[in-house]
Amino acid sequence: MATKTIDVREYTVRAHKRQIHTRIFHFVCKECNQATKRETFGPRPLYCESCRPPQAPKKSVQESRKLKPHAMTYKSDIDLD
């Protein structure tokens, strides 16, 4: 098994390094029916790199968080004192 060290950044835990175990799979692509190989850490892939369906863009951590409300000062024509 091949071993990689990846940088984990966009999760709800503090950024850290994690060691994952990858495997090289030799398989026939479901789309183009050609024999290919791909390195992955999950289950056996169905598609080669060129036929793989597009992935949804990852959302940034800062975009998903709501901003804290800030105090605002308003000016009025009427003096309440």
Side-chain angles (χ1 to χ4, degrees):
M1 252 188 232
T3 303
K4 285 185 175 179
T5 301
I6 59 170
D7 290 326
V8 179
R9 295 174 193 238
E10 297 184 8
Y11 291 98
T12 56
V13 297
R14 189 184 321 165
H16 63 282
K17 291 189 183 222
R18 179 176 289 164
Q19 198 173 46
I20 60 171
H21 302 287
T22 58
R23 293 171 52 187
I24 296 177
F25 288 96
H26 296 274
F27 62 97
V28 176
C29 177
K30 192 174 179 181
E31 183 79 23
C32 62
N33 295 324
Q34 291 189 352
T36 185
K37 68 177 183 176
R38 212 170 111 189
E39 182 180 13
T40 181
F41 62 90
R44 185 181 68 82
L46 297 175
Y47 303 100
C48 62
E49 287 290 337
S50 59
C51 298
R52 187 166 75 175
Q55 303 291 322
K58 292 184 179 182
K59 294 183 178 179
S60 176
V61 174
Q62 292 180 355
E63 291 178 9
S64 63
R65 291 185 188 171
K66 290 187 176 179
L67 295 175
K68 293 181 180 178
H70 295 287
M72 296 182 68
T73 55
Y74 296 97
K75 293 186 179 180
S76 174
D77 295 336
I78 303 170
D79 188 19
L80 298 175
D81 290 330

